Amino acid sequence: MYAYDHSRVILRRIADEPNSDYINACHVDGYMEEKKYIASQGPVNPMVGDFWRMVWEQDVCIIVMVTKLVEEGKMKCLKYWGESKPIIHGPFAVTLSEENDYSCYTIRTMTVHEKDKPHIFSQRDPVSLHFLAR
């Protein structure tokens, strides 16, 4: 599935990288608000850095994931949320701040900041709701 031009999320272009504004993600209208949500595939290499650019640029605060990392022996999504130590995805450092497992879902809070800037000045704390069919 590919994003249509009329609804696709457009990333800020990186200098000297002509296709760096593309990510396979679409804006989705809400009940009373245009472009309220974003639908995206689970990030895989090499798009995981672009995924975090999208989260940062679009100021995403909630991520809903409805796939397992591996389904029927096929990788569907990378573990993009990191651990207690920061992992680097493109220009961002991502740290798992909190993780709570429940019977059919996991709630994760992450801290994201630009790796070249002190996170005390600019960080985001998105929450991920990861639904798992058991």
Side-chain angles (χ1 to χ4, degrees):
M1 182 173 132
Y2 294 100
Y4 291 109
D5 285 341
H6 74 277
S7 62
R8 78 178 179 93
V9 174
I10 300 172
L11 300 175
R12 290 187 199 122
R13 185 164 288 165
I14 298 170
D16 300 325
E17 294 185 33
N19 296 319
S20 60
D21 67 340
Y22 184 82
I23 186 166
N24 191 7
C26 297
H27 289 285
V28 178
D29 292 342
Y31 173 63
M32 299 284 287
E33 184 177 344
E34 291 184 358
K35 298 183 177 182
K36 177 73 174 170
Y37 307 103
I38 296 174
S40 171
Q41 68 185 41
V44 295
N45 276 331
M47 86 168 262
V48 72
D50 293 337
F51 174 81
W52 283 113
R53 281 179 49 217
M54 177 185 68
V55 168
W56 188 266
E57 291 176 13
Q58 299 293 314
D59 200 17
V60 172
C61 57
I62 298 175
I63 300 166
V64 178
M65 184 169 162
V66 292
T67 187
K68 294 179 182 178
L69 297 178
V70 177
E71 292 182 3
E72 298 180 5
K74 293 181 182 178
M75 193 213 32
K76 295 292 185 175
C77 181
L78 287 177
K79 184 177 173 184
Y80 57 86
W81 50 85
E83 295 291 339
S84 58
K85 292 183 180 181
I87 58 170
I88 304 301
H89 291 300
F92 298 100
V94 181
T95 307
L96 179 64
S97 303
E98 186 176 355
E99 183 173 69
N100 294 301
D101 292 313
Y102 300 93
S103 62
C104 295
Y105 62 97
T106 300
I107 299 175
R108 295 181 186 91
T109 303
M110 296 156 281
T111 300
V112 182
H113 67 89
E114 294 174 288
K115 68 181 180 186
D116 297 332
K117 297 180 182 177
H119 67 277
I120 58 173
F121 297 115
S122 181
Q123 80 177 37
R124 308 273 168 77
D125 300 302
V127 173
S128 169
L129 307 172
H130 186 179
F131 292 91
L132 304 165
R134 301 219 188 240

